[in-house]
């Protein structure tokens, strides 16, 4: 199957700092990637859809100025949590579509963020 | 909320028994997908069933889809301890790429 990686796998930072998370599709090109957030014992909530070469589409209630998304190439999308606070501590997971609508999404292994 | 519902939220059974999880969704779909997540890990894709399909099998997995009721079920037969995980359904709407996840079922298989 297709491989999606995330880096870092775990990050601890101080409140007020910014954290960048990378999502890469290793063996295919992805024009669209997705960013999810998952709190403990809860399901995945879609934050935004990342489109290569254009602005991301954010879900309702997600602050675009706080969660900056850049999709500069067909294999890399980045999520930057700006001025992180303890309530931003969560598990962040990306996924990528190998094809278009109606196809399987491939998920990265996730990044656990802890903001102190 | 657009999120789908799953039941039960938690299920604990003995090894060898069958486990059934149900999922309901809210919109018209192109397909419905099931994923497994081990604690603190990423998601593993299990099976995809398209809106024009009613049943699909993959190894010990059987998935059904009832579009009239907007519901799906995942059956794991002859469960094993290694099947212990959280299971999520995810609906992909018509013409859409994004997935809407259900709340998940935490499955525990007791040796």
């Amino acid at each position: 199957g297709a491989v999606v990686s995330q880096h870092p796998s775990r990050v601890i930072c101080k409140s007020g700092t910014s954290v960048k998370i990378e999502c890469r599709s290793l063996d295919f090109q992805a024009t669209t990637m997705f960013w999810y957030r998952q709190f403990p014992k809860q399901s995945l909530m879609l934050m935004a859809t990342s489109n290569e070469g254009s602005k991301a589409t954010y879900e309702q209630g997600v602050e675009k100025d706080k969660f900056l998304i850049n999709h500069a190439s067909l294999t890399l999308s980045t999520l930057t949590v700006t001025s992180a606070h303890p309530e931003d501590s969560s598990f962040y997971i990306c996924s990528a579509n190998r094809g278009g609508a109606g196809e399987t999404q491939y998920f990265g292994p996730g990044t656990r963020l802890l903001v102190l | 909320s657009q999120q789908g519902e799953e039941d039960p939220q938690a299920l604990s059974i003995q090894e060898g028994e069958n486990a059934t999880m149900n999922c309901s969704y809210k919109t018209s779909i192109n397909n419905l997908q099931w994923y497994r997540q081990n604690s603190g890990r990423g998601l593993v894709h299990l099976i995809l069933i398209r809106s024009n399909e009613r049943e699909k099998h993959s190894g010990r997995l059987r998935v059904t889809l009832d579009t009239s009721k907007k519901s799906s079920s995942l059956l794991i037969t002859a469960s094993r301890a290694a099947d212990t995980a959280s299971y999520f359904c995810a609906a992909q709407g018509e013409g859409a790429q994004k997935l809407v996840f259900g709340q998940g079922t935490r499955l525990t298989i007791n040796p």
Side-chain angles (χ1 to χ4, degrees), chain A residues 25-108:
Chain A
S25 55
L26 297 184
D27 54 355
F28 66 100
Q29 293 183 332
T31 55
T32 305
M33 291 183 173
F34 303 88
W35 287 96
Y36 297 84
R37 181 167 52 184
Q38 184 181 32
F39 292 108
K41 291 186 167 50
Q42 293 188 25
S43 185
L44 280 74
M45 292 296 293
L46 180 66
M47 298 175 67
T49 302
S50 171
N51 304 298
E52 187 268 336
S54 65
K55 291 182 179 180
T57 304
Y58 289 81
E59 295 298 303
Q60 194 172 6
V62 178
E63 299 175 56
K64 62 180 181 181
D65 294 330
K66 180 168 182 63
F67 299 99
L68 301 178
I69 291 173
N70 184 281
H71 194 155
S73 78
L74 287 171
T75 59
L76 174 64
S77 174
T78 61
L79 168 69
T80 301
V81 183
T82 61
S83 186
H85 289 99
E87 58 265 30
D88 297 323
S89 298
S90 188
F91 194 51
Y92 292 86
I93 306 175
C94 72
S95 71
N97 258 19
R98 190 168 192 167
E103 298 302 321
T104 301
Q105 284 189 21
Y106 294 92
F107 283 79

Side-chain angles (χ1 to χ4, degrees), chain A residues 31-32 34 36 38 41-46 49 51 59 91 93 95 97 99-110 112, chain B residues 1 3 6 30-31 33 35 37 39-45 48 50 88 92-93 95-104 106:
Chain A
T31 55
T32 305
F34 303 88
Y36 297 84
Q38 184 181 32
K41 291 186 167 50
Q42 293 188 25
S43 185
L44 280 74
M45 292 296 293
L46 180 66
T49 302
N51 304 298
E59 295 298 303
F91 194 51
I93 306 175
S95 71
N97 258 19
E103 298 302 321
T104 301
Q105 284 189 21
Y106 294 92
F107 283 79
R112 188 161 301 283
Chain B
S1 169
Q3 206 163 29
E6 285 187 59
N30 177 289
N31 65 72
Q33 304 179 33
Y35 290 84
Q37 183 182 37
S39 181
R41 309 288 290 274
L43 272 72
V44 174
H45 181 260
L48 180 154
R50 301 192 186 278
F88 296 94
Q92 190 170 57
Q97 294 190 59
K98 67 180 185 181
L99 295 174
V100 177
F101 279 81
Q103 295 167 343
R106 286 195 306 280

